[in-house]
């Protein structure tokens, strides 16, 4: 009979946040799959637990995932942990969960620490509706496209960022959402020097360009204001409609294709097209 994969959240700073159930799960598991075995070993030593550890991280997840699934199918129980917080959230554990689900293995998540929710709760931003965006890509094109897709997002947005990338990220967020958009920067959560800075993207970009940031950050960015509508690139849409009409398409078909190509509402493109004669 197959074993079970347990997702065990670990403290994001304060070791006192480990729950009784998390501790018992780690004690009872046949083995633990860890993002960094050195980090997990420190936690286990603190808890007085001795357990077999296997590494499972971004660059070995393909073949290690297969090995872990084989062991669970053979009847062993595995506890998956990340360096801090809930595994499988912005974490390679997502792939292991998928593998186990496809193999018919039971996956059980233990509630516990999560930096995103902890930061959101103390941010002072709206918490009724939010979206988790994780780490932005380091590739400029992907990063720009990601932020472009969020310009009209009304929900509160949550981002993770490392200190050495924070200044550049704040500049990109400011350029994408505007200098007046509210942001809460949360760092060193649950630790001695926990800090929450509630300001605007413009002020935040200026502050951390002058003062080198320290610690891991969770950025809570306010969603677009209710009155703010997505900007339709009229020049691009009008030009494309004109090109397609010149190629022989009817205005109706040109509008339909332009809307599809530019990922815009068809009625908005049609309104733009009416401003220009065929």
């Amino acid at each position: 009979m197959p074993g079970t994969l347990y997702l065990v959240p670990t403290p994001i700073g304060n070791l006192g946040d480990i729950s009784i159930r998390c501790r018992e799960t780690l004690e009872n598991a046949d083995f633990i799959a860890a993002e960094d075995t050195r980090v997990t070993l420190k936690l286990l030593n603190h808890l007085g637990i001795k357990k077999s550890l296997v590494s499972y991280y971004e660059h070995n997840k393909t073949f290690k995932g297969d090995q872990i699934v084989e062991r669970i199918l053979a009847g062993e129980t595995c506890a998956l942990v990340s360096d801090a917080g809930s595994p499988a959230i912005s974490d390679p554990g997502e792939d292991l969960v998928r593998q186990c689900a496809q193999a018919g293995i039971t996956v059980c998540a233990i509630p516990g620490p999560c930096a995103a929710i902890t930061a959101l709760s103390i941010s002072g931003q709206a918490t009724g509706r939010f979206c988790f965006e994780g780490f932005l890509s380091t590739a400029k094109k992907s990063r720009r496209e990601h932020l472009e897709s969020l310009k009209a997002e009304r929900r509160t947005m949550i981002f993770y960022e490392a200190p050495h990338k924070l200044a550049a990220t704040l500049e990109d967020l400011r350029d994408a959402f505007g200098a007046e958009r509210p942001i809460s920067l949360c760092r060193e959560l649950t630790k001695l020097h926990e800090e929450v800075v509630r300001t605007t993207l413009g002020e935040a970009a200026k502050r951390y360009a002058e003062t080198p940031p320290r610690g891991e950050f969770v950025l809570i960015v306010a969603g677009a204001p209710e009155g703010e509508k997505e900007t339709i690139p009229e020049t691009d849409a009008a030009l494309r409609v004109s090109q397609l009409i010149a190629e022989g398409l009817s205005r109706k078909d040109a509008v339909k294709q332009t809307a599809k190509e530019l990922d815009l509402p068809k009625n908005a493109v049609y309104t733009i097209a009416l401003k220009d004669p065929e």
Side-chain angles (χ1 to χ4, degrees), residues 120 123-131 133 147 150-159 170 173-174 176-185 197-201 218-226 228:
L120 177 65
S123 67
Q125 306 285 2
T127 62
R129 298 179 67 227
F130 59 90
C131 56
E133 299 298 325
L147 292 176
L150 294 171
K151 278 190 173 182
E153 177 58 68
R154 299 197 189 284
R155 294 172 296 179
T156 301
M157 295 169 281
I158 305 174
F159 299 89
L170 289 174
L173 291 171
R174 177 200 61 200
F177 303 142
E180 298 306 311
R181 184 75 68 89
I183 180 176
S184 299
L185 302 98
V197 176
R198 302 178 181 89
T199 182
T200 62
L201 285 172
V218 181
L219 310 178
I220 311 296
V221 182
E226 284 295 329
E228 188 173 307

Side-chain angles (χ1 to χ4, degrees), residues 9-241:
T10 54
I12 57 177
N14 191 320
L15 293 179
D17 290 336
I18 193 79
S19 73
I20 295 174
R21 188 180 177 199
C22 286
R23 179 172 188 157
E24 290 177 346
T25 303
L26 292 173
E27 288 177 332
N28 295 328
D30 292 304
F31 68 102
I32 298 172
E35 184 177 5
D36 187 330
T37 55
R38 296 166 299 181
V39 172
T40 301
L41 185 59
K42 291 180 181 179
L43 174 63
L44 294 180
N45 287 339
H46 172 75
L47 297 174
I49 297 173
K50 292 185 177 181
K51 192 66 58 173
S52 172
L53 290 170
V54 298
S55 65
Y56 178 84
Y57 57 96
E58 185 63 34
H59 301 296
N60 76 354
K61 65 182 182 183
T62 301
F63 73 90
K64 277 298 182 74
D66 290 338
Q67 293 177 3
I68 292 170
V69 168
E70 286 180 7
R71 292 182 65 173
I72 298 175
L73 286 173
E76 293 187 79
T77 294
C78 173
L80 174 68
V81 299
S82 63
D83 289 347
S86 299
I89 304 298
S90 194
D91 174 87
E94 171 188 357
D95 296 278
L96 183 59
V97 170
R98 186 180 301 109
Q99 280 183 270
C100 287
Q102 291 172 346
I105 293 170
T106 298
V107 180
C108 179
I110 312 297
C114 176
I117 299 302
T118 301
L120 177 65
S121 67
I122 61 174
S123 67
Q125 306 285 2
T127 62
R129 298 179 67 227
F130 59 90
C131 56
F132 176 69
E133 299 298 325
F135 288 97
L136 288 169
S137 172
T138 55
K140 289 185 178 180
K141 182 180 179 181
S142 297
R143 191 183 185 90
R144 184 172 61 252
E145 290 176 347
H146 187 169
L147 292 176
E148 187 71 26
S149 72
L150 294 171
K151 278 190 173 182
E153 177 58 68
R154 299 197 189 284
R155 294 172 296 179
T156 301
M157 295 169 281
I158 305 174
F159 299 89
Y160 285 164
E161 194 52 277
H164 64 284
K165 298 178 183 177
L166 181 68
T169 293
L170 289 174
E171 290 179 0
D172 290 341
L173 291 171
R174 177 200 61 200
D175 294 343
F177 303 142
E180 298 306 311
R181 184 75 68 89
I183 180 176
S184 299
L185 302 98
C186 308
R187 60 179 287 273
E188 299 293 273
L189 291 170
T190 76
K191 298 179 182 178
L192 181 62
H193 300 294
E194 176 177 291
E195 179 185 37
V196 181
V197 176
R198 302 178 181 89
T199 182
T200 62
L201 285 172
E203 290 299 317
K206 181 179 179 181
R207 172 176 179 151
Y208 290 101
E210 300 171 349
T211 306
R214 300 178 67 179
E216 299 296 319
F217 281 78
V218 181
L219 310 178
I220 311 296
V221 182
E226 284 295 329
E228 188 173 307
K229 296 183 179 179
E230 185 173 2
T231 302
I232 302 296
E234 293 195 19
T235 302
D236 293 344
L239 179 61
R240 185 55 181 153
V241 169

Side-chain angles (χ1 to χ4, degrees), residues 241-270:
V241 169
S242 297
Q243 290 175 338
L244 292 172
I245 290 176
E247 293 173 7
L249 270 66
S250 66
R251 187 193 297 274
K252 179 180 178 181
D253 289 340
V255 166
K256 184 177 180 180
Q257 184 167 327
T258 298
K260 183 177 181 180
E261 289 179 0
L262 299 182
D263 192 25
L264 295 171
K266 190 166 63 174
N267 60 344
V269 177
Y270 185 74

